Amino acid sequence: MDATIEEVARRAGVSIATVSRSLRGREGVSPRTAERVRAIAHELGYSASPSASRLASGRAGTVAVIMPFLGRWFFSEVLDAAEPVFREAGLDLLLYHVGDRESRRKYFSVDLLRKRVEGVLLVSLPLTDAEIEVLHSLGIPVCTVGVALEGFRSVTIDDVSAARLAAQHLVNLGHERVALIAGDTEDPTLCGAPRDRRAGYRSVLEEAGTGLDPGLEARGDFTAAGGAMAAGELFARQHPPTAIFAESDEMAIGALGTLRRLGLRVPQDVSVVGFDDHPLAAALELTTVSQGVADQGRRVAEQLVASLTAGSGPGAGASEQVQLPTRLIVRGTTAVAKPAAGPSALAGAGDGKPRLGPAPGTRHGTAPGTVPRRNKEVAPTPGAVGLALPIRAQVTTQKGRAVQQ
Amino acid sequence: MDATIEEVARRAGVSIATVSRSLRGREGVSPRTAERVRAIAHELGYSASPSASRLASGRAGTVAVIMPFLGRWFFSEVLDAAEPVFREAGLDLLLYHVGDRESRRKYFSVDLLRKRVEGVLLVSLPLTDAEIEVLHSLGIPVCTVGVALEGFRSVTIDDVSAARLAAQHLVNLGHERVALIAGDTEDPTLCGAPRDRRAGYRSVLEEAGTGLDPGLEARGDFTAAGGAMAAGELFARQHPPTAIFAESDEMAIGALGTLRRLGLRVPQDVSVVGFDDHPLAAALELTTVSQGVADQGRRVAEQLVASLTAGSGPGAGASEQVQLPTRLIVRGTTAVAKPAAGPSALAGAGDGKPRLGPAPGTRHGTAPGTVPRRNKEVAPTPGAVGLALPIRAQVTTQKGRAVQQ
DNA sequence: CTGAAAGCGCTTACAG
DNA sequence: CTGAAAGCGCTTACAG
């Protein structure tokens, strides 16, 4: 089971060069010889030592996937979709989790990557100029997903347009106080998604003429707990919102929990839109913006594999920037704004203090009239177009009415 | 930046042997020399070629993490917790996703693992005897998490006892028709978790004297969509349950969605308990069994690293089986069974047909009196004890009452 | 089509 | 403490 190439060669009565050529399907070996060698290799359970063949050939046969989070849905979904592509291409997948600044410095010191991998897939990781410089100096293909980097191939969505879909949907429903639960937009190490989604949200509100209110923005850190906290803050303020757009489904679901505890009904009292189309969003009937995460993962992996096999051929170094379409999926958490609800409807929470505890005597649920509308309304973004133009998406209700929003 | 050890040696005026020793912190080098060599190596941006040093030393410096799913929460959480342990130990993490039978055969053909990694972490993957045989023949440390394998170290929980916590909780609340949403218990390739959780559930029901009703079990495939389907089936049957225990939070959340669509209130009409303590479970106030997934991931990684560094020392080959404790976390989705509700309460869904559509005029929500009780009631399992004894867990309510259940 | 040989860049006994 | 040299197990020009 632990045979070496020399043993195979001896057993087959050929040179090790011939064994190597036969096993790797090279030209220049007679079919008969090749076949015999393969049979013997199989019989001996031989397989080439990766380190030896890497050292001799100079090819690492490995790609690095670098992610800042492993536990969050977006990231594991990308990994799940990318992995089979690499496997198919015969590439080993070396996983790097860069969390803190410390590990970042370490991984981007070239040492860790150079001589070790022949390609890098960077997932939603924004980098400093110095880090980008390091990646360039690696001299190997680097592809990114979730964030576009100057000079590298990437697969992304248009976060501005995607966020506009969500915000516009709420504005179209008559909401005048639309809140944002943002990811961490302060941290410069975070990637462009939170920045762009916020920009999209703001642009819609500005166009709607409702003006921007800093009191309508809160931070949720892209986690359910963060979303729950953020919703708590929003409804503790002087003028609470009537609708919430959360930059991720996980935050939106956290917000739903808080709303229930506050005794606010969804969507009667408050509408909520998420972002991602997390599997649980469908289960919870959460209206959301689907960004086809699996697609992104698969595409970027294919992009990297292509860069690897293309070698230094024509266009290999070209920084192809693919932008995938997104769409709004209207489910049960959004509804027309109440005629003139005002803060009165929020009596239970409008006392100026966060009220995360339960509100006895109130209920949370989906109103009879709004539940039936499900999963039927989608609005594709321009896709592969990066302009933040006003979205006039085609929305089809279950009854078949086409609506311009 | 691409210096070789020879260049460093020349530059430092020493032999490459000395460079190697200095850089690896070996004994037998004068401090002065070692320091100078390190300085020059750093200046030249030198780092040893992994494949060369692996070939020369025979050590792979890499561990394989093998998982059947990358997208499901349990798996990404384990990965997230295990990764830093390997990084700390200077080990590369090679990720293997074995889904279909095809890729399994491939990965377990020894070739893929041998000569490539020096340790294997198997996540919740049940194996055939042949596959286990292959792992043994690898001759390297193999640790498993989520499932215990004969002859290998492992970190698991007592799934039987853990499931009993959930079922007993429901029985104690007076529920006489407790349903199970199981993972795939038919598939022999699935690991012991679904089998054991079902066993725990059944044992409680048998002890409770309510008897076992096959009509109270449905399959959910460990996904939210599967859980939603399963709940639909359960409530389409002749005698629907009044409580549900789902073998994962994702399935439980899917079930919650279905219940809402059916117009059934949680927990007034139906109680629901999940399994995992998924981050979203807290947000949704889902009563669940916490199994400390991050703990399991960290522990098993440490176990593997220990096996690696212990080498063939005393007890290195011992198959240490660690069993971590679980606990019930009572939140807002479980409540005392209705006095004598019977199928009447389920009028809207008791027509014998799956009724996944919305039920107009009904609401879903958390009752005033039950919401306040949150996150305070926990019941540790015996931990590290594998016996499926009747659980008499200590449960403390928010009001401080101690309850024997 | 086939083989002998150099070489990939390290590590590790073995001498000194 | 230090160095010269063998060797890890392959791949790849280079001859034939």
Side-chain angles (χ1 to χ4, degrees):
Chain A
M1 279 292 234
D2 220 7
T4 181
I5 195 174
E6 203 177 334
E7 290 164 32
V8 177
R10 196 173 325 161
R11 200 75 153 44
V14 297
S15 70
I16 60 174
T18 297
V19 173
S20 178
R21 286 193 275 252
S22 301
L23 262 29
R24 311 181 67 231
R26 297 287 188 182
E27 309 227 307
V29 185
S30 82
R32 293 189 57 249
T33 311
E35 188 45 54
R36 187 160 46 89
V37 169
R38 276 194 290 267
I40 290 174
H42 181 77
E43 180 189 333
L44 265 46
Y46 169 80
S47 69
S49 151
S51 35
S53 78
R54 281 167 195 176
L55 177 59
S57 71
R59 289 205 55 203
T62 304
V63 294
V65 175
I66 305 182
M67 350 183 82
F69 304 99
L70 298 179
R72 294 187 190 171
W73 181 75
F74 176 87
F75 297 88
S76 56
E77 186 75 2
V78 164
L79 194 58
D80 193 37
E83 192 276 345
V85 178
F86 294 137
R87 172 157 41 105
E88 197 63 33
L91 293 162
D92 278 347
L93 192 169
L94 213 44
L95 185 65
Y96 288 106
H97 175 196
V98 299
D100 47 286
R101 280 228 149 281
E102 197 48 46
S103 64
R104 288 173 67 118
R105 199 185 325 275
K106 198 174 160 198
Y107 286 125
F108 284 100
S109 68
V110 186
D111 302 12
L112 274 290
L113 295 173
R114 171 158 305 194
K115 303 174 184 171
R116 181 165 260 141
V117 299
E118 53 185 291
V120 174
L121 169 53
L122 216 58
V123 186
S124 241
L125 189 65
L127 301 173
T128 62
D129 288 348
E131 290 168 334
I132 292 176
E133 190 49 49
V134 168
L135 282 181
H136 270 120
S137 74
L138 239 36
I140 60 179
V142 175
C143 293
T144 70
V145 59
V147 57
L149 283 184
E150 189 75 30
F152 297 122
R153 289 182 163 189
S154 65
V155 173
T156 56
I157 58 168
D158 179 347
D159 280 292
V160 176
S161 298
R164 285 183 57 86
L165 285 176
Q168 192 68 56
H169 172 59
L170 293 170
V171 166
N172 288 352
L173 287 170
H175 291 281
E176 295 183 351
R177 294 194 60 73
V178 178
L180 174 74
I181 296 184
D184 188 344
T185 49
E186 313 302 318
D187 188 344
T189 67
L190 265 180
C191 69
R195 182 194 57 215
D196 292 347
R197 292 177 196 173
R198 184 175 62 181
Y201 156 84
R202 288 182 176 174
S203 67
V204 167
L205 290 212
E206 279 173 341
E207 288 167 23
T210 59
L212 289 178
D213 178 357
L216 286 175
E217 296 188 11
R219 247 184 61 186
D221 293 317
F222 284 117
T223 64
M229 291 280 289
E233 286 172 27
L234 289 171
F235 282 91
R237 291 177 185 165
Q238 203 65 38
H239 300 294
T242 63
I244 296 176
F245 164 45
E247 290 180 6
S248 80
D249 284 345
E250 281 152 307
M251 293 195 292
I253 293 172
L256 288 179
T258 294
L259 293 176
R260 178 194 302 189
R261 278 173 228 119
L262 290 174
L264 294 167
R265 296 167 303 166
V266 175
Q268 295 93 326
D269 299 327
V270 183
S271 285
V272 177
V273 181
F275 198 109
D276 276 345
D277 199 22
H278 188 291
L280 292 180
L284 296 169
E285 309 213 42
L286 176 66
T287 293
T288 192
V289 177
S290 167
Q291 63 160 323
V293 180
D295 257 8
Q296 293 181 59
R298 187 175 44 72
R299 290 288 294 269
V300 74
E302 291 169 350
Q303 204 178 47
L304 184 56
V305 169
S307 304
L308 257 32
T309 53
S312 43
S319 67
E320 172 198 21
Q321 313 264 5
V322 174
Q323 207 164 56
L324 262 31
T326 56
R327 67 185 207 280
L328 179 69
I329 298 180
V330 179
R331 296 198 179 98
T333 56
T334 46
V336 173
K338 283 197 275 196
S344 66
L346 309 167
D351 57 9
K353 287 185 176 181
R355 181 126 175 228
L356 290 170
T362 53
R363 293 193 172 166
H364 158 71
T366 305
T370 54
V371 182
R373 180 199 50 205
R374 289 217 317 283
N375 303 25
K376 291 296 182 182
E377 310 166 46
V378 298
T381 45
V385 173
L387 301 178
L389 297 173
I391 310 287
R392 302 207 72 78
Q394 179 89 2
V395 170
T396 309
T397 69
Q398 198 174 37
K399 290 178 180 169
R401 284 181 290 120
V403 177
Q404 288 296 335
Q405 51 172 22
Chain B
M1 278 292 234
D2 220 8
T4 180
I5 195 173
E6 203 177 335
E7 290 165 32
V8 177
R10 196 175 324 164
R11 201 71 153 47
V14 296
S15 70
I16 61 174
T18 297
V19 172
S20 178
R21 286 192 276 253
S22 300
L23 262 28
R24 312 181 67 230
R26 297 285 189 182
E27 310 228 309
V29 184
S30 82
R32 290 191 57 247
T33 311
E35 187 46 52
R36 186 160 46 88
V37 168
R38 275 195 290 269
I40 290 174
H42 181 76
E43 179 188 333
L44 265 45
Y46 168 79
S47 70
S49 151
S51 35
S53 77
R54 280 167 195 176
L55 176 58
S57 72
R59 290 205 54 205
T62 305
V63 295
V65 175
I66 305 182
M67 349 183 82
F69 303 100
L70 298 178
R72 294 188 190 171
W73 181 75
F74 176 88
F75 298 88
S76 57
E77 186 75 2
V78 164
L79 193 58
D80 193 36
E83 192 276 345
V85 178
F86 294 137
R87 172 157 42 105
E88 197 63 33
L91 293 162
D92 278 347
L93 193 169
L94 214 44
L95 185 65
Y96 288 106
H97 176 199
V98 298
D100 46 287
R101 281 226 151 282
E102 196 47 46
S103 64
R104 289 174 65 119
R105 199 186 325 276
K106 196 174 160 197
Y107 286 126
F108 284 101
S109 69
V110 187
D111 303 12
L112 274 290
L113 295 172
R114 171 157 306 192
K115 305 175 184 172
R116 181 166 258 139
V117 299
E118 52 185 293
V120 174
L121 169 53
L122 215 58
V123 186
S124 240
L125 188 66
L127 302 173
T128 63
D129 289 348
E131 289 168 335
I132 293 176
E133 190 48 51
V134 167
L135 283 182
H136 270 120
S137 75
L138 238 36
I140 59 179
V142 174
C143 294
T144 70
V145 59
V147 57
L149 283 184
E150 190 74 31
F152 296 123
R153 289 183 163 188
S154 65
V155 174
T156 55
I157 57 168
D158 179 347
D159 280 291
V160 177
S161 299
R164 286 183 57 85
L165 285 176
Q168 192 68 58
H169 172 59
L170 294 170
V171 166
N172 289 352
L173 288 170
H175 290 282
E176 295 182 352
R177 295 194 59 73
V178 178
L180 174 74
I181 295 184
D184 188 343
T185 49
E186 313 302 318
D187 187 344
T189 67
L190 265 180
C191 70
R195 182 195 57 215
D196 292 347
R197 291 177 196 172
R198 184 174 64 182
Y201 155 85
R202 288 182 176 175
S203 68
V204 167
L205 289 212
E206 279 173 339
E207 289 167 23
T210 58
L212 289 178
D213 178 356
L216 286 175
E217 296 187 11
R219 247 184 60 188
D221 293 317
F222 284 117
T223 64
M229 292 281 288
E233 286 172 27
L234 289 171
F235 283 91
R237 290 176 186 166
Q238 204 64 38
H239 301 294
T242 64
I244 296 176
F245 164 45
E247 288 180 7
S248 80
D249 284 344
E250 280 152 309
M251 292 194 292
I253 293 172
L256 288 179
T258 295
L259 292 175
R260 177 194 303 190
R261 279 174 227 118
L262 290 174
L264 293 166
R265 296 167 304 165
V266 175
Q268 294 94 325
D269 298 327
V270 183
S271 284
V272 178
V273 181
F275 198 110
D276 276 345
D277 198 22
H278 188 290
L280 292 181
L284 296 169
E285 309 212 41
L286 176 66
T287 293
T288 192
V289 177
S290 166
Q291 64 159 323
V293 180
D295 256 8
Q296 292 183 60
R298 188 174 44 73
R299 291 287 294 269
V300 75
E302 291 170 348
Q303 204 178 47
L304 183 56
V305 170
S307 304
L308 257 31
T309 53
S312 43
S319 67
E320 172 198 23
Q321 311 265 6
V322 174
Q323 208 164 57
L324 262 31
T326 56
R327 68 186 207 280
L328 179 70
I329 298 180
V330 179
R331 297 199 179 98
T333 55
T334 45
V336 173
K338 284 196 274 194
S344 66
L346 309 167
D351 56 9
K353 288 186 174 181
R355 180 128 174 225
L356 290 169
T362 54
R363 292 193 173 166
H364 158 71
T366 306
T370 54
V371 181
R373 180 199 50 204
R374 288 217 319 284
N375 303 26
K376 291 297 181 181
E377 310 165 45
V378 297
T381 45
V385 173
L387 301 178
L389 297 172
I391 309 287
R392 302 208 71 79
Q394 178 88 1
V395 170
T396 308
T397 67
Q398 198 173 39
K399 290 177 179 171
R401 284 180 290 120
V403 177
Q404 287 297 335
Q405 52 171 22

